[in-house]
């Protein structure tokens, strides 16, 4: 089964999120071949959860705090997301870069997500000029510290090269395929041969490149930013994933 994640980022307030959700629900029919995880603003999670009574989509948060509760003004804990979200994105490069999140911070969030039986989507990816192999090994090592062999099966890894995000230019499939091998070998090194973490690709995915990316060996789905805000484009990406599952 392929996993298609929609990261709406800081777009769409509550009424717009509901309107977009309704458009998507009219244009997308999910089945056993594909799961679609919509990640709206925190504010819309509860409302979309009510709209999603038939379970057509899964809902995810874009971030969380590592603590369960406390004097942390403005933060939302993984514990608070239980019941309104099934997935939580952690370590998105925008948070690493703009809010200074370290691998340790990301790891603490990921462990909090697992502690509450939610599914973490761990974003990793090199910046321009960096060695993908070095950065990914370090981010996997740091981000997955303390995760056991049972929990790793619940983790989704999203490979998002920073230069590709929002640029309209995804890397060629050969480059993505090589990086997938690096990720797999690092996971095998850390958890052994029988690991089953899903690996997604993200960064300028659209309805034109989705098919070729989904054909890459070891790619289990896509993390879609900009194109997830366009209902017909996103619906087309889901259709492509259904056919590839
Ligand atoms: P993009 O964003 O699809 O707009 O490049 C992807 C992401 O940042 O998750």
């Amino acid at each position: 089964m392929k996993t298609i994640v929609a990261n709406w980022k800081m777009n769409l307030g509550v009424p717009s999120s509901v309107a977009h959700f309704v458009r998507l629900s009219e244009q997308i029919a999910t089945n056993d071949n594909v799961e679609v995880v919509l990640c709206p603003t925190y504010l819309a999670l509860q409302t979309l959860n009510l709209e999603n009574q038939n379970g057509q989509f899964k809902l995810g948060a874009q971030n969380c705090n590592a603590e369960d509760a406390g004097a942390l003004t403005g933060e939302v804990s993984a514990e608070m997301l239980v019941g309104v979200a099934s997935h939580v994105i952690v370590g998105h490069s925008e948070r690493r870069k703009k809010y200074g999140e370290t691998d340790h911070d990301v790891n603490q969030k990921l462990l909090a997500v697992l502690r509450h039986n939610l599914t973490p989507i761990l974003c990793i990816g090199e910046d321009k000029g960096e060695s993908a192999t070095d950065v990914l090994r370090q981010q996997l090592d740091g981000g997955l510290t303390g995760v056991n062999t049972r929990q790793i099966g619940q983790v989704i890894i999203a490979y998002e090269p920073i230069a590709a995000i929002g640029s309209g230019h995804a890397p060629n499939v050969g480059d993505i395929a090589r990086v997938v091998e690096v990720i797999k070998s690092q996971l095998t090194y850390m958890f052994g041969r029988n690991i089953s973490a899903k690996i997604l690709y993200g960064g300028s995915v659209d309805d034109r490149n989705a098919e070729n990316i989904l054909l890459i060996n070891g790619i289990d789905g896509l993390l879609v930013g900009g194109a997830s805000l366009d209902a017909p484009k996103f619906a087309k990406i889901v259709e492509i994933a259904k056919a590839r599952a």
Side-chain angles (χ1 to χ4, degrees), residues 198-219:
K198 277 193 162 189
I199 302 175
L200 314 185
Y201 169 80
S204 292
V205 171
D206 60 26
D207 50 333
R208 287 163 299 138
N209 61 20
E211 173 140 42
N212 283 340
I213 298 172
L214 285 168
L215 282 170
I216 297 170
N217 198 16
I219 284 288

Side-chain angles (χ1 to χ4, degrees), residues 23 37 49 82-83 87 122 128 135 155 157 160 173-174 188 202 212:
R23 273 193 299 272
V37 185
N49 208 36
V82 174
H87 291 62
L122 170 64
K128 236 191 227 131
V135 170
V155 175
I157 311 282
E160 300 206 297
V173 289
T188 303
N212 283 340

Side-chain angles (χ1 to χ4, degrees), residues 7 9 92 160 164-166 203-204 223-226:
N7 179 9
K9 307 194 181 183
H92 191 282
E160 300 206 297
I165 294 176
S204 292
L223 202 174
V224 188

